[in-house]
């Protein structure tokens, strides 16, 4: 399935979550999806994105590790369904939005947490989501710079 569709699915699931365990499961799913997208871009994305994509993979993996893997059927793993990443810009824009929503959901969860361990788990997951989003934004900046450079080169008269 295409990355953009998977991100939309993740956003809807996160928005529809109300219980703490549901929210944490959807946050984990979002981080695992970010990890898979980062991995795909690191291997086969534009060369200028590969370093940041590798960083995204590591940070999103940290976000998953902080939360611990939820008890999901393998067919429910969104990241495992990733087969296409046709539009890197669109996927990164949507992923940045998803990671922002993850942070907001975690802030809400942390503010209502009854246990210290849940609070600190949320704080670490917020940090991972925020750093992951920073990597996504940097990749978008690099894509924009690449496109602008290509446009300038295309506009140069041939010699």
């Amino acid at each position: 399935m295409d990355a953009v569709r998977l991100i939309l699915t993740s956003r809807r699931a996160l928005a529809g979550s109300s219980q703490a365990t549901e929210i944490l499961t959807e946050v984990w799913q979002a981080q695992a999806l970010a990890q898979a997208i980062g991995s795909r871009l690191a291997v086969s994305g534009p060369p200028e994105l590969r370093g940041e994509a590798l960083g995204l993979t590591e940070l999103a993996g940290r976000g998953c590790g902080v939360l611990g893997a939820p008890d999901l059927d393998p067919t429910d793993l969104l990241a495992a369904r990733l087969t296409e990443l046709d539009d890197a810009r669109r996927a990164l824009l949507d992923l940045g939005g998803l990671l922002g929503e993850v942070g907001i959901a975690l802030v809400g969860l942390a503010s209502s947490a009854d246990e210290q361990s849940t609070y600190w788990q949320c704080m670490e997951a917020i940090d991972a989501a925020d750093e992951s989003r920073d990597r996504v934004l940097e990749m978008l900046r690099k894509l924009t710079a690449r496109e602008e450079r290509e446009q300038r080169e295309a506009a140069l008269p041939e010699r």
Side-chain angles (χ1 to χ4, degrees):
M1 186 179 289
D2 183 60
V4 172
R5 287 183 56 204
L6 289 169
I7 294 166
L8 179 60
T9 299
S10 183
R11 288 178 97 163
R12 285 182 183 148
L14 181 61
S17 300
S18 58
Q19 302 298 314
T21 54
E22 291 175 337
I23 293 169
L24 289 174
T25 295
E26 295 310 324
V27 165
W28 186 91
Q29 286 266 47
Q31 286 284 26
L33 185 55
Q35 186 178 27
I37 291 169
S39 180
R40 178 70 58 99
L41 287 171
V43 171
S44 59
E48 58 269 35
L49 300 187
R50 291 185 180 160
E52 295 296 331
L54 186 57
L56 173 61
T57 301
E58 293 170 4
L59 290 166
R62 188 182 87 198
C64 288
V66 164
L67 298 172
D71 186 26
L72 291 173
D73 186 275
T75 60
D76 293 332
L77 296 173
L78 294 179
R81 293 190 220 161
L82 178 64
T83 57
E84 299 173 38
L85 207 159
D86 294 332
D87 186 349
R89 172 176 294 289
R90 179 61 196 215
L92 289 170
L93 283 168
D94 290 351
L95 183 59
L98 173 60
L99 291 168
E101 292 166 10
V102 160
I104 292 167
L106 287 167
V107 166
L109 191 58
S111 66
S112 65
D114 293 332
E115 299 175 12
Q116 284 280 35
S117 62
T118 302
Y119 172 83
W120 288 111
Q121 184 182 34
C122 288
M123 289 295 108
E124 289 183 45
I126 290 167
D127 186 46
D130 188 47
E131 289 182 40
S132 294
R133 187 167 186 268
D134 287 346
R135 294 292 174 132
V136 167
L137 293 174
E138 182 60 19
M139 284 189 279
L140 284 166
R141 186 194 66 74
K142 287 183 177 187
L143 274 179
T144 299
R146 174 188 184 200
E147 291 166 359
E148 289 171 353
R149 185 178 62 250
E150 289 173 351
Q151 288 175 353
R152 282 191 309 272
E153 290 171 359
L156 292 175
E158 299 212 18
R159 294 181 180 193

